[in-house]
Amino acid sequence: MESTNRKSDLECISDDLTSLLQSISTTKTIDARTFLFQEGEEAHELYVIQHGLIQISKLTQEGNELNLRTCQEGDIVGELTLFTDEAKYMLNAYALKKCKILIIQKDQLEKELLSNSRLTFEFMKWMTNLLRINQSKIKDLVMNGKKGALYSTLIRFSNSYGIQQKDGRLIDMHLTNQEIAKFCAATRESINRMLNDLKKKGIIQITKESKILIKDIHYLRTEIGCDHCPIDICVID
């Protein structure tokens, strides 16, 4: 799954902050289907993706995988451990493709940021925004269960990849039920049942190209008690 229209993390921060990250980094290549880091490991580094795809996820208490973000070229990974004593990674980072990444030592970045209050404020502001996105996704799952997680996932996909049409909003990408399940910490079978229920109610439609057309997004929002978050928060990645 690759987005062609969203901005990367580096595009969302200033040139000065980008230059700082690049100036204190080294380069590394990691193979596809390997972990960049895993939840619970000691966190000493921050990463910027130059090429490739990294899936950010977390295991639920039931052992299901919850996908939180797919990071691409220009995205920053591992950022939520800065300015924390004895920091450990809170999430898993798994390479979906062979990746070339920049490695930034956490201690060195903290030292540089503490000497530049403007860049420190900018980085913390960006980091807080990303934390809000992840917290929002987890809240949808905790507060509304698997059904709420599916509904909010469909809304987020429509915000990230949606094209408005006369009869609804088309998610303009091919999604398997297994892929959707991983964004909901659910099984493929339960996603099948819930999507079929939405189709019977006329809330969604599956097009001839096997894409999802959301015909009544108001229904999905009402069912989860949507907070109508800003569009930059209610996204899939």
Side-chain angles (χ1 to χ4, degrees), residues 60 62-67 141 145-147 149-150 177-194:
T60 67
E62 295 82 12
N64 294 321
E65 184 180 13
L66 174 62
N67 284 355
L141 176 61
K146 297 296 190 291
K147 182 179 287 187
L150 171 61
N177 288 359
Q178 183 62 50
E179 288 172 332
I180 296 174
K182 287 189 176 182
F183 282 94
C184 305
T187 64
R188 180 178 57 81
E189 291 76 15
S190 65
I191 295 298
N192 289 347
R193 289 193 296 270
M194 290 186 285

Side-chain angles (χ1 to χ4, degrees), residues 19-20 27 34 94 96 111 153 185 190 193 205 228:
S19 295
L20 171 61
T27 303
T34 59
Y94 183 76
L96 300 176
K111 180 180 177 181
T153 295
S190 65
R193 289 193 296 270
Q205 175 184 328
H228 296 281

Side-chain angles (χ1 to χ4, degrees), residues 144-152 194 197 201 219 223-224:
N144 299 295
K146 297 296 190 291
K147 182 179 287 187
L150 171 61
Y151 292 2
S152 67
M194 290 186 285
D197 183 58
K201 292 178 178 178
Y219 173 88
E223 285 293 300
I224 63 173

